[in-house]
Amino acid sequence: ARLDLGRGLTAGMILLNIGTALCASGHPREALLSYSDACRAWAALLPPRDARWAALYNNMAGAYEANGEFDFALTHYEKAVAVLSAGDPSPDLGLTYINMAMSCHRNDPEDERIGTYVKAALDALNDGRLAHDAYYAHTLRKCTDPLSYLGYFRAAGIYRKEADGIYERNRTGS
């Protein structure tokens, strides 16, 4: 049975969340259908550079990757980069580049773009305009394992230590 939530910002967010749950439970093809419905729900309502598009494109990329469609995954990661690059600095830009590097590595460990994407991720995560808050720490933590996996142990260690420091300052209020 197909659920029609119609169009609207809330409908799009619900469809995005349904897609995320479907992908996480091993159903990337069905997730892509939900993500397509989210695109239709938001099409006339959200400006093209709204950050919610980046979340949708990143999730779509993950579903395409889980489905073995690496070219489509990279296309959607690139769409997310375009949205994130146009807005205020966000650690999500760094995470998107990390995801791109990992996607390339999964498809071909010798892919020359891997290093380029990691460098772009490090540049984005080191942007001095980023607030070093709990969300930044959370995003750094999400980047450390992939960075280690790709052989960037020093960067992973620096980001792990930075995240720990932010969490500790938040915990102690200092």
Side-chain angles (χ1 to χ4, degrees), residues 58-106:
N58 269 316
N59 285 1
M60 290 177 84
Y64 277 119
E65 188 176 330
N67 213 35
E69 299 177 73
F70 294 97
D71 289 338
F72 284 121
L74 282 178
T75 296
H76 284 79
Y77 283 132
E78 288 165 1
K79 288 180 177 188
V81 164
V83 171
L84 292 166
S85 296
D88 292 332
S90 169
D92 291 336
L93 179 59
L95 182 57
T96 299
Y97 279 122
I98 292 289
N99 289 338
M100 293 171 82
M102 288 297 293
S103 183
C104 287
H105 187 274
R106 284 184 193 102

Side-chain angles (χ1 to χ4, degrees), residues 142-158:
K142 288 171 76 172
C143 294
T144 57
D145 286 346
L147 283 168
S148 291
Y149 181 81
L150 294 169
Y152 293 83
F153 305 109
R154 185 170 183 269
I158 289 168

Side-chain angles (χ1 to χ4, degrees), residues 4-37:
D4 184 3
L5 295 175
R7 301 192 191 291
L9 297 179
T10 302
M13 190 56 69
I14 291 168
L15 290 161
L16 170 62
N17 291 335
I18 290 170
T20 303
L22 284 167
C23 196
S25 62
H27 302 283
R29 195 172 297 280
E30 292 84 353
L32 288 166
L33 294 173
S34 186
Y35 294 145
S36 293
D37 289 343

